[in-house]
């Protein structure tokens, strides 16, 4: 069978065949030279300084001796997860210790450590020599319980101050209150005349719930404040508008209701449009009917 269809692709002229022969021959010669080079190649000798340097770097005296640091004693109550793993404690044993610690309790002896963590004797034998417990543990007599919870310490009694006599310096001592927030509290107290209940502090802009809870631990309304009461049936819109609970348009609605229905009584406050119903009992303490 004649391969006529591929003849146009493999047909070369005489000059082309000669060029291919020379190219292939050069490739083979170069490959042969590269393969045979190690047989006659002799590297040049290194300078004396280089030989001395190589001898020094290969010598034992330049290799730093590895220092094995001794294991330091540690309190097993505060062992980290990584350190527990290095000692051979299982994840379950470490979790038992953490659960015990989260209850506010501390292990105070080698035996108690094993009871809590349930580590095998092989692991305990390696760890026990390095346990270091607080000095007060050694003062306990044998047979006396060793469990000790710091949460059982009696907290110091906080003497509360009257919020209506508190200064900016007093307020700043509370965690979470800075100069700006203390100034807002004092400014709001001045606008009211005085706080009648501590819950009014929650109306101060920027006061977070956790800071408010801390304030309750340090301050209280210890004495009933002397208030300059607002004559709700005589005050003008402008005079009413100064009171924080009667900002415009509540002050306008009060005057409008008063002009149409006559003098306002306590029970009429719920009928005034815009009046804060949930704070009526507090608002009434500032009013003179």
């Amino acid at each position: 069978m004649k391969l006529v269809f591929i003849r146009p692709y493999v047909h070369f002229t005489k000059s082309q065949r000669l060029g291919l022969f020379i190219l292939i021959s050069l490739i083979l010669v170069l490959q042969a030279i590269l393969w045979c080079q190690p047989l006659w190649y002799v590297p040049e000798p290194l300078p004396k300084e280089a030989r001395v340097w190589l001898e020094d770097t290969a010598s034992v005296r330049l290799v730093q001796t590895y220092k094995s640091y001794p294991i330091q004693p540690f309190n097993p109550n505060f062992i980290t997860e990584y350190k527990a793993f290095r000692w051979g404690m299982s994840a379950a044993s470490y979790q038992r210790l953490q659960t015990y610690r989260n209850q506010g309790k501390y292990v105070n002896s080698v035996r108690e450590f094993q009871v809590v963590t349930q580590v095998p004797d092989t692991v305990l034998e390696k760890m026990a020599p390095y346990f270091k417990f607080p000095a007060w543990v050694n003062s306990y007599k044998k047979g006396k319980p060793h469990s000790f919870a710091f949460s059982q310490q009696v907290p110091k009694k906080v003497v509360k101050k009257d919020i209506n006599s508190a200064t900016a310096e007093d307020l700043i001592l509370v965690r979470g209150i800075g100069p700006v927030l203390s100034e807002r509290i004092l400014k709001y107290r001045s606008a009211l005349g005085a706080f009648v209940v501590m819950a009014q502090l929650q109306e101060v802009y920027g006061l977070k719930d956790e800071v408010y809870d801390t304030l309750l631990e340090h301050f209280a309304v210890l004495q009933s404040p002397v208030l300059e009461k607002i004559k709700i049936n005589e005050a003008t819109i402008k005079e009413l508008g100064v009171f924080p609970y009667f900002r415009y348009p509540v002050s306008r609605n009060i005057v409008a209701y008063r002009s149409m229905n006559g003098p306002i009584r306590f029970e009429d406050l719920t009928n005034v449009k815009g009046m804060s119903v949930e704070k009526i009992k507090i608002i009434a303490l500032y009013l003179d009917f």
Side-chain angles (χ1 to χ4, degrees):
M1 180 179 179
K2 295 182 179 180
L3 302 176
V4 179
F5 64 92
I6 66 171
R7 181 175 293 176
Y9 301 102
V10 298
H11 179 71
F12 297 102
T13 64
K14 184 177 181 180
S15 59
Q16 290 174 336
R17 289 196 296 272
L18 179 61
L20 287 172
F21 175 75
I22 294 173
L23 177 62
I24 295 172
S25 300
L26 286 174
I27 293 174
L28 294 175
V29 170
L30 290 174
Q31 288 292 335
I33 293 174
L34 291 175
W35 288 338
C36 298
Q37 181 181 4
L39 299 178
W40 71 78
Y41 175 73
V42 178
E44 296 182 2
L46 291 174
K48 183 179 179 181
E49 294 80 3
R51 292 199 303 272
V52 172
W53 181 82
L54 287 174
E55 291 173 359
D56 288 343
T57 56
S59 63
V60 180
R61 64 185 178 84
L62 291 181
V63 180
Q64 294 184 354
T65 305
Y66 175 75
K67 296 181 180 180
S68 57
Y69 295 96
I71 302 175
Q72 299 295 330
F74 63 94
N75 189 333
N77 289 291
F78 304 102
I79 188 171
T80 62
E81 186 175 6
Y82 173 74
K83 196 170 184 178
F85 170 77
R86 292 293 302 272
W87 277 109
M89 289 179 62
S90 64
S93 296
Y94 181 77
Q95 187 59 42
R96 292 188 194 100
L97 178 63
Q98 292 305 305
T99 302
Y100 188 77
R101 288 281 289 101
N102 290 338
Q103 297 173 3
K105 300 178 181 179
Y106 294 79
V107 294
N108 298 314
S109 67
V110 175
R111 175 61 182 165
E112 189 176 6
F113 179 82
Q114 188 176 30
V115 171
V116 172
T117 61
Q118 299 179 20
V119 295
D121 294 338
T122 53
V123 176
L124 187 65
E125 289 175 359
K126 293 187 298 182
M127 300 178 67
Y130 300 99
F131 284 175
K132 182 179 180 181
F133 297 103
W136 57 264
V137 174
N138 300 325
S139 64
Y140 277 98
K141 295 180 180 180
K142 293 182 179 181
K144 198 170 183 178
H146 296 295
S147 297
F148 186 84
F150 287 101
S151 59
Q152 296 176 355
Q153 294 179 354
V154 179
K156 294 182 179 179
K157 186 177 181 180
V158 178
V159 179
K160 293 186 178 182
K161 295 183 178 180
D162 195 319
I163 188 64
N164 289 312
S165 60
T167 62
E169 290 75 15
D170 295 331
L171 295 172
I172 291 176
L173 294 176
V174 176
R175 184 178 180 86
I177 296 182
V180 175
L181 195 52
S182 64
E183 186 63 28
R184 286 180 190 166
I185 294 172
L186 296 179
K187 189 175 180 180
Y188 191 63
R189 185 182 69 185
S190 177
L192 289 171
F195 293 115
V196 292
V197 290
M198 289 295 292
Q200 290 175 287
L201 287 165
Q202 293 179 300
E203 300 164 8
V204 177
Y205 175 76
L207 186 66
K208 298 180 179 179
D209 292 339
E210 55 268 24
V211 180
Y212 169 72
D213 293 338
T214 308
L215 273 171
L216 294 180
E217 297 175 4
H218 296 82
F219 297 95
V221 180
L222 300 179
Q223 296 179 351
S224 298
V226 179
L227 300 172
E228 186 177 349
K229 296 190 176 184
I230 302 170
K231 296 182 179 180
I232 192 169
N233 290 308
E234 298 179 8
T236 63
I237 295 177
K238 185 176 180 180
E239 292 171 341
L240 291 171
V242 177
F243 188 53
Y245 295 117
F246 291 163
R247 301 299 187 191
Y248 192 86
V250 178
S251 58
R252 182 197 62 188
N253 296 336
I254 291 173
V255 174
Y257 184 89
R258 189 177 66 195
S259 61
M260 290 187 296
N261 300 281
I264 296 176
R265 298 169 297 175
F266 170 74
E267 53 269 22
D268 296 327
L269 292 177
T270 55
N271 299 325
V272 177
K273 185 178 180 180
M275 184 72 69
S276 179
V277 178
E278 64 274 9
K279 298 177 182 177
I280 282 181
K281 290 184 178 180
I282 295 177
I283 295 173
L285 297 175
Y286 293 91
L287 303 179
D288 182 4
F289 296 96

